Amino acid sequence: MINVEDKVIKLQIWDTAGQDRFRTITKTYYKGSQGVILAYDVCDTKSYDNVKNWIKQIELNAKSNICKALVGNKCDRPDRVIKEEDGKKLAE
């Protein structure tokens, strides 16, 4: 728990690494969640493409007003294959 502007905030962070074997149990994580961070590897098109599937799962299992943040990871690598514009488009 952390304090933000005199409010106690409880964080539970679950890292599934996008693996399909966690797909069935992540449904329960969405219940009651107020935010989700989706991260993808900018050097891996499969990682980027999987974000769309995770977004569908969130839409099916979470509240409609859940906050979503999209993070492109490994932006400093020279072997980047996902353009920044594509990440911004997906975030919209």
Side-chain angles (χ1 to χ4, degrees), residues 4-70:
V4 176
E5 296 180 5
D6 296 325
K7 294 180 184 178
V8 176
I9 307 294
K10 180 180 177 184
L11 299 175
Q12 288 187 351
I13 300 173
W14 303 92
D15 181 2
T16 64
Q19 296 178 16
D20 284 333
R21 65 185 174 132
F22 292 110
R23 194 174 301 272
T24 55
I25 60 172
T26 54
K27 292 178 183 181
T28 58
Y29 297 158
Y30 300 132
K31 304 286 187 220
S33 295
Q34 295 179 353
V36 177
I37 299 172
L38 298 158
Y40 68 93
D41 181 345
V42 300
C43 302
D44 183 355
T45 55
K46 184 178 178 185
S47 173
Y48 176 79
D49 292 339
N50 280 335
V51 169
K52 296 169 190 167
N53 295 325
W54 287 104
I55 291 172
K56 287 179 189 173
Q57 289 300 313
I58 293 166
E59 290 172 349
L60 289 172
N61 297 291
K63 296 177 186 175
S64 60
N65 64 343
I66 192 168
C67 294
K68 296 180 281 291
L70 182 62

